[in-house]
Amino acid sequence: MNASRPVITPAQAPHLKRVRELGPRRIPFSSGHQLGFDPGGTLLLAKGRGEAPLRWWDVGSPSDAPLGTFEAPPSAAPAVLTGEERVVCVGPANLSPAGLWRPRLLALSARDGALLGEEHVQHAVTTLARSRGGEHLLVVPDGGAPFIWDVKSWRLACELGGLDIDVSVTACALSPEGRFAAVTAIPHDGQQGNLWLWETTPGARPWRLSIDASPAWSVAFHPTEPLLAVGGLTEDVVVVHVGERRIVRTLSGFRGYACNLDFNPEGTLLAASHDGRGFSVHRFDTGAELFRTGDDNDIQTSDVLFSPDGRLLAWGQGDGTVGLWGVDSR
């Protein structure tokens, strides 16, 4: 299905159309979706905020019904799809002597939901991010030090230095080559600085930068350049040079706030979903808006994501379905 569609480019982006809906609907449903493609772009996962289950679909299948579901506990922590058709999510404590009351990091088979691995963690997990190839996860616990998890061997790869002040973490990301980890957060003591950046080496201490977006809600690494984009409670997106550790420019015109950011594979387009109602697609070089759409549900916020091949955009809709946008090849 995907291969027959054109890659979404700046020239093609103004002509996007919704080409598919993945269901079923969940009504009432107003809390949004956290979304994720697997590295190959075959599977798409959605975690509804609140009590909605994890669902994932085979986007190459003609069926719009989920390939699998998992009744995860209510949690703000997202699940991710990694390589080898694995779903990694946060599960509840199982009250075993080894785990006591600690939550678990779970690996499930995307084909049949079977448990492939589990690991008790010391703290509740706030958010997760996957490396581009799906081999590693950045895991950010509530109150503990972030760490890198090796998915294939199912063991700790390295633990990073902890955040140096009390914060509420809002988002995290791993750079494409896995060298850097980034976190946006809200400091509880009102201090300046809401972006933290680490090199992914054991014990690495974070570098902190103040972004004029309070709170900062989203961070995304550029796929080919040493840059990252940060969005939040502002209609601007800040671009940071990772190597030079400084703000290099600000992109304006992100109406409705830039809550969730994602680059296309070439890095020429930046998608942003908003604080309710919809998403937009922008040129990354200028910030110019090329496309905007949405629905009538103004109290939900969903991720918007490019597929790994750059041919589709996914956005969680207000009725609980996931819409796919692309360039009509007919």
Side-chain angles (χ1 to χ4, degrees):
M1 172 188 163
N2 291 8
S4 65
R5 298 193 180 279
V7 171
I8 303 170
T9 66
Q12 298 276 24
H15 309 294
L16 291 174
K17 296 180 179 179
R18 188 172 61 191
V19 296
R20 195 171 178 188
E21 286 187 347
L22 304 175
R25 295 183 179 183
R26 291 178 55 85
I27 299 175
F29 191 96
S30 61
S31 61
H33 279 114
Q34 296 164 329
L35 304 178
F37 281 98
D38 75 317
T42 301
L43 303 176
L44 173 63
L45 177 143
K47 169 65 174 79
R49 293 175 176 88
E51 297 185 0
L54 291 176
R55 298 181 291 170
W56 56 93
W57 296 264
D58 182 342
V59 295
S61 167
S63 172
D64 294 332
L67 177 67
T69 61
F70 178 71
E71 294 291 338
S75 173
V80 294
L81 280 162
T82 68
E84 300 181 339
E85 296 184 336
R86 291 188 182 189
V87 176
V88 179
C89 62
V90 180
N94 60 5
L95 306 185
S96 68
L100 298 178
W101 299 96
R102 293 185 293 159
R104 294 172 295 153
L105 202 62
L106 303 177
L108 310 173
S109 167
R111 288 298 163 186
D112 58 13
L115 180 64
L116 302 176
E118 65 177 345
E119 180 71 18
H120 289 92
V121 291
Q122 294 289 340
H123 305 275
V125 175
T126 303
T127 187
L128 306 170
R130 192 202 72 203
S131 62
R132 181 161 57 187
E135 306 92 344
H136 295 96
L137 295 177
L138 170 62
V139 183
V140 184
D142 185 9
F147 59 91
I148 306 297
W149 189 257
D150 188 305
V151 176
K152 186 173 183 179
S153 65
W154 201 246
R155 63 179 179 82
L156 180 71
C158 76
E159 185 174 65
L160 307 176
L163 297 166
D164 51 0
I165 59 175
D166 191 21
V167 301
S168 293
V169 172
T170 55
C172 69
L174 275 173
S175 62
E177 79 292 345
R179 180 183 173 187
F180 295 100
V183 163
T184 54
I186 306 168
H188 292 169
D189 60 4
Q191 292 188 33
Q192 293 295 308
N194 48 11
L195 171 68
W196 280 259
L197 183 71
W198 292 259
E199 291 200 42
T200 53
T201 56
R205 302 303 304 172
W207 163 74
R208 188 170 66 181
L209 180 66
S210 179
I211 301 296
D212 188 16
S214 183
W217 280 333
S218 182
V219 59
F221 280 94
H222 192 279
T224 62
E225 300 179 39
L227 303 172
L228 59 81
V230 183
L233 192 59
T234 173
E235 296 191 350
D236 297 332
V237 167
V238 174
V239 181
V240 175
H241 193 290
V242 176
E244 298 174 3
R245 299 186 177 184
R246 64 183 181 90
I247 297 172
V248 291
R249 68 179 187 272
T250 299
L251 305 176
S252 301
F254 288 75
R255 296 175 288 165
Y257 309 138
C259 301
N260 304 283
L261 300 172
D262 191 55
F263 284 98
N264 69 333
E266 290 74 34
T268 55
L269 296 172
L270 183 63
S273 67
H274 309 132
D275 187 13
R277 290 190 184 270
F279 71 90
S280 56
V281 180
H282 301 251
R283 292 185 64 102
F284 179 59
D285 55 355
T286 65
E289 183 180 285
L290 301 177
F291 178 79
R292 170 179 287 266
T293 192
D295 58 25
D296 293 330
N297 190 319
D298 64 355
I299 59 173
Q300 69 111 12
T301 299
S302 171
D303 291 345
V304 58
L305 294 177
F306 283 96
S307 61
D309 63 7
R311 300 176 190 273
L312 291 172
L313 270 165
W315 179 70
Q317 302 175 134
D319 62 1
T321 62
V322 177
L324 298 178
W325 275 258
V327 180
D328 197 333
S329 57
R330 292 176 293 178

